[in-house]
Amino acid sequence: MKGERWQTDLNSFEARAKQLGAKVVSADAAGDDDRQFQQVKDMIKTGIKVLVLLPRDTTNASRMVDAAKSANVKVISYDRLVQNSDVDLYVSFDRIAIGKMQAQYLVKYAPKGNYVLIAGSPNDGGAKVLHDAQMTVLQPYIDRGDIKVIADAYTKDWLPSEAYLFMLNAIDSAQGNIAAVLASNDGLAGGAIQALREHNLAGKVLVSGQDADLAAVICIAQGTQTMTVYKPVVDEAEKAAEEAVRLAKGEKTEAEATISNGKRNVPTIMLKPVAVTKGNIKTTVVKDGFQTLKSINQALSADQQIK
């Protein structure tokens, strides 16, 4: 629940589930896998019908799915896919599309130069999918010698503080000669921007992101972040709630696709992400009520205000 978006997910899920007559119990493991496993076991004991699981470690979480399935509890893997497990349904956004969207936007405006890649947690399978998708876009530019990746690493627990330190080292090694930072989410982008700011490079280096966090949208309006990928998480959460109620009633899910998690082809519902830039803040995140114009403009100077 550390990231801004997760509270939105939970609130939206609870509201929709209650509308449908379901009771929701929730727990936050604060990034502790063993604690999450214990919470799952405690929930199973209380007689839950469906477990909606957001795994921190997508490999390690298979034991949680096993525990649920052995008690005849249905499992929805939420936003991240639990690997090698009997998950009943996966609800998420298309990470391959997100990774490509981030990289394509940066190469459009910086087709040449030094790039820094800041990927998510090494324990999150989704972080690797994002990174690999980004690389499919960058590779032709790298092969031609137009783009040089001078720093590329995964980031412990998606921590902005780790991204900040990584970016400081990259700036030092490249002596500030950086064209773009391909940050996999807004938290990592924020850490990188802080390092760029300290070297008077903020606004001169392109920076990608993901999640449309308020701080990131403000940075985009100010010109220090180039773009973010908005995932209408209210839609994702409400869809997960609707499917959870379906599973609890023994009905079929509305999944139209499958994704392999190493053990089975998991029925999957994939939602579409949206690129957010300075020019479309109003028609995307503001229009959907995900962020408000008031909260964005409060942090902006008069000449930066979104009218």
Side-chain angles (χ1 to χ4, degrees):
M1 300 300 291
K2 284 177 190 163
E4 178 189 312
R5 66 156 288 196
W6 300 115
Q7 193 61 52
T8 304
D9 289 70
L10 181 59
N11 293 347
S12 305
F13 181 92
E14 285 183 333
R16 183 66 183 127
K18 283 171 185 171
Q19 277 177 354
L20 296 169
K23 184 185 174 193
V24 180
V25 288
S26 65
D28 172 17
D32 184 325
D33 295 324
D34 291 332
R35 187 172 168 196
Q36 189 171 41
F37 188 33
Q38 188 57 53
Q39 287 170 341
V40 167
K41 289 191 287 189
D42 291 344
M43 284 179 176
I44 292 166
K45 277 182 202 160
T46 67
I48 59 166
K49 293 272 196 330
V50 182
L51 172 69
V52 182
L53 180 64
L54 170 64
R56 187 193 77 91
D57 185 325
T58 49
T59 303
N60 208 8
S62 60
R63 57 183 176 158
M64 302 175 206
V65 179
D66 293 344
K69 299 303 283 187
S70 65
N72 292 315
V73 172
K74 301 284 188 184
V75 181
I76 294 177
S77 197
Y78 187 78
D79 203 73
R80 299 172 186 163
L81 181 58
V82 182
Q83 298 298 307
N84 298 304
S85 62
D86 281 319
V87 172
D88 294 282
L89 179 68
Y90 174 40
V91 181
S92 190
F93 285 90
D94 188 339
R95 278 190 171 74
I96 293 172
I98 293 168
K100 285 181 175 178
M101 204 179 271
Q102 291 168 326
Q104 283 163 349
Y105 199 86
L106 295 189
V107 297
K108 183 181 175 185
Y109 295 100
K112 293 185 177 181
N114 291 334
Y115 269 55
V116 175
L117 270 63
I118 310 178
S121 167
N123 298 319
D124 179 354
K128 186 179 187 315
V129 174
L130 271 173
H131 182 271
D132 291 352
Q134 293 161 356
M135 285 305 295
T136 62
V137 175
L138 294 184
Q139 203 59 57
Y141 293 83
I142 295 166
D143 294 343
R144 285 200 300 269
D146 290 341
I147 286 173
K148 185 180 178 188
V149 176
I150 57 158
D152 179 6
Y154 287 89
T155 313
K156 182 191 170 194
D157 288 340
W158 295 84
L159 289 171
S161 55
E162 296 281 323
Y164 165 73
L165 295 172
F166 182 70
M167 193 66 217
L168 283 178
N169 286 334
I171 292 166
D172 276 353
S173 68
Q175 296 177 316
N177 181 17
I178 296 165
V181 179
L182 222 173
S184 281
N185 81 349
D186 288 339
L188 301 177
I193 289 165
Q194 182 56 37
L196 290 168
R197 242 185 219 120
E198 290 172 13
H199 286 79
N200 294 316
L201 293 170
K204 298 172 187 171
V205 176
L206 304 187
V207 183
S208 68
Q210 176 191 189
D211 291 335
D213 288 349
L214 177 59
V217 175
I218 290 164
C219 283
I220 290 170
Q222 289 171 333
T224 53
Q225 185 167 326
T226 314
M227 63 87 73
T228 186
V229 178
Y230 165 51
K231 301 175 298 189
V233 296
V234 171
D235 296 351
E236 182 186 16
E238 288 182 348
K239 191 70 189 163
E242 289 159 11
E243 296 300 326
V245 170
R246 261 193 201 95
L247 287 172
K249 289 177 176 175
E251 297 171 5
K252 277 190 73 173
T253 68
E254 290 191 342
E256 291 176 351
T258 60
I259 289 181
S260 172
N261 71 347
K263 184 171 185 178
R264 62 171 303 210
N265 289 323
V266 180
T268 299
I269 293 173
M270 249 343 153
L271 292 92
K272 285 194 165 30
V274 180
V276 176
T277 63
K278 199 169 188 173
N280 72 351
I281 289 171
K282 238 175 131 171
T283 56
T284 53
V285 291
V286 172
K287 186 183 170 198
D288 281 8
F290 188 73
Q291 302 292 358
T292 67
L293 212 49
K294 185 182 176 187
S295 56
I296 297 165
N297 281 337
Q298 270 176 343
L300 300 174
S301 61
D303 60 320
Q304 295 167 340
Q305 302 261 316
I306 300 165
K307 300 291 190 285

